[in-house]
């Protein structure tokens, strides 16, 4: 399931709804991304997340489908917020549920790594010096590349 | 081309180009994304500055990532944006 929204989300309620009624699920793994108050040694007041409506949903659906093709998953969830966010706010939730923990852990990690390098979102940080677009990080590309270099880890 | 090509710009590419969305009618010699960028740079405004460093320009045609040699045809939606920073 994919949701792109401005409003906050309730982690407990989302995870409960995701697994409701499916007692074949033995493992549920989730990751929540938060807004930090520092970037490159500069204080961040607030940030604004811009996205590409239409392509964002398509790209997240492609990433979700890829995870479901790689691991035996019972349920997946991606929620990503956009608009104005303040330090401490939740930005993103990804979750993966499976019969066993390995698939849940790995799929959750895969979802957030791919989301960070593929989903069309951009962060504009508000600093004392004005608005600053966040630069993409090579370490994020490396994190995504790892999944293409070593496929089928879950099968080991 | 008959139908226009719809262009979208995001993040700092939008700020540099000075436009977020526009419909354009490139000449028939424009057949690829790279040729479209060449043509846009010559159209003035902040577009030349927006495309100055093509290595950091990501392109989607009809909401799918493509390379610079991907074809562009009438009616396409072409988006230009910097490397993504969500999550």
């Amino acid at each position: 399931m994919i949701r792109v929204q401005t409003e906050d989300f309730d982690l407990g309620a989302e995870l409960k709804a995701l697994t409701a009624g499916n007692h074949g699920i033995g493992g549920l793994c989730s990751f929540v991304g938060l807004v930090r108050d520092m970037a490159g040694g500069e204080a961040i007041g607030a940030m604004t997340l811009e996205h590409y409506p239409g392509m964002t949903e398509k790209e997240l659906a492609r990433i979700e489908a890829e995870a479901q093709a790689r691991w035996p998953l019972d349920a997946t969830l991606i929620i990503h917020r956009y608009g104005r966010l303040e330090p401490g706010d939740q930005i993103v939730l990804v979750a993966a549920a499976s019969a066993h923990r390995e698939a849940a852990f790995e799929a959750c990690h895969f979802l957030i790594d791919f989301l960070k390098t593929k989903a069309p979102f951009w962060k504009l940080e508000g600093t004392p010096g004005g608005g600053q677009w966040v630069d993409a990080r090579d370490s994020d590309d490396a994190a995504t590349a790892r999944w293409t270099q070593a496929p089928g880890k879950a099968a080991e | 081309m008959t139908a226009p090509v719809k262009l979208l710009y995001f993040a700092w590419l939008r700020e540099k180009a000075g436009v977020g969305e526009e419909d354009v009618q490139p000449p028939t010699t424009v057949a690829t994304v790279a040729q479209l960028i060449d043509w846009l740079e010559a159209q003035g405004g902040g577009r030349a500055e927006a495309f100055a460093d093509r290595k950091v320009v990501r392109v989607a045609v009809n909401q799918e990532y493509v390379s610079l040699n991907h074809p562009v045809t009438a009616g396409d939606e072409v988006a230009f944006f910097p490397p993504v920073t969500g999550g």
Side-chain angles (χ1 to χ4, degrees):
Chain A
M1 198 193 313
I2 304 292
R3 294 218 312 269
V4 181
Q5 61 189 42
T6 54
E7 57 270 28
D8 197 11
F9 51 83
D10 179 330
L11 178 62
E14 295 295 345
L15 298 186
K16 198 169 178 181
L18 189 66
T19 58
N22 186 344
H23 298 160
I25 294 173
L28 169 61
C29 190
S30 66
F31 172 87
V32 176
L34 307 173
V35 180
R36 278 192 309 271
D37 64 357
M38 295 291 284
E42 254 194 305
I44 304 298
M47 72 160 60
T48 305
L49 264 147
E50 179 177 330
H51 78 114
Y52 180 177
M55 182 172 171
T56 304
E57 291 81 357
K58 284 185 187 170
E59 202 57 35
L60 292 177
R62 281 192 277 263
I63 294 165
E64 182 179 51
E66 175 72 23
Q68 293 188 349
R70 287 187 182 215
W71 290 278
L73 302 173
D74 289 278
T76 48
L77 174 65
I78 304 176
I79 301 176
H80 205 302
R81 296 176 68 192
Y82 66 95
R84 188 178 183 280
L85 297 170
E86 296 185 349
D89 282 352
Q90 304 184 114
I91 306 176
V92 62
L93 162 64
V94 300
S98 184
H100 301 287
R101 70 182 180 283
E102 291 86 356
F105 267 119
E106 291 187 6
C108 184
H109 201 165
F110 170 92
L111 287 170
I112 191 63
D113 281 354
F114 265 60
L115 182 155
K116 284 191 85 81
T117 52
K118 306 254 186 223
F121 287 92
W122 302 275
K123 289 177 182 141
L124 178 65
E125 291 176 339
T127 69
Q132 184 76 41
W133 290 101
V134 174
D135 279 331
R137 288 153 40 138
D138 291 342
S139 58
D140 287 335
D141 286 334
T144 298
R146 201 160 43 102
W147 295 104
T148 52
Q149 285 157 1
K153 256 179 82 185
E156 283 172 10
Chain B
M1 293 190 192
T2 46
V5 175
K6 182 182 181 183
L7 304 182
L8 298 169
Y9 303 82
F10 292 98
W12 57 255
L13 260 109
R14 170 172 44 76
E15 293 181 345
K16 287 188 175 177
V19 59
E21 186 174 336
E22 59 182 344
D23 286 338
V24 295
Q25 291 273 7
T28 52
T29 50
V30 170
T32 67
V33 170
Q35 289 166 348
L36 177 62
I37 294 175
D38 289 340
W39 179 76
L40 285 167
E41 283 180 330
Q43 302 308 301
R47 297 178 189 85
E49 197 195 339
F51 293 117
D53 185 2
R54 290 196 194 184
K55 289 195 307 296
V56 297
V57 177
R58 301 291 178 266
V59 185
V61 171
N62 299 325
Q63 307 190 345
E64 292 210 28
Y65 285 104
V66 298
S67 60
L68 290 177
N69 58 14
H70 191 274
V72 175
T73 54
D76 278 349
E77 176 176 301
V78 182
F80 302 107
F81 47 83
V84 302
T85 56

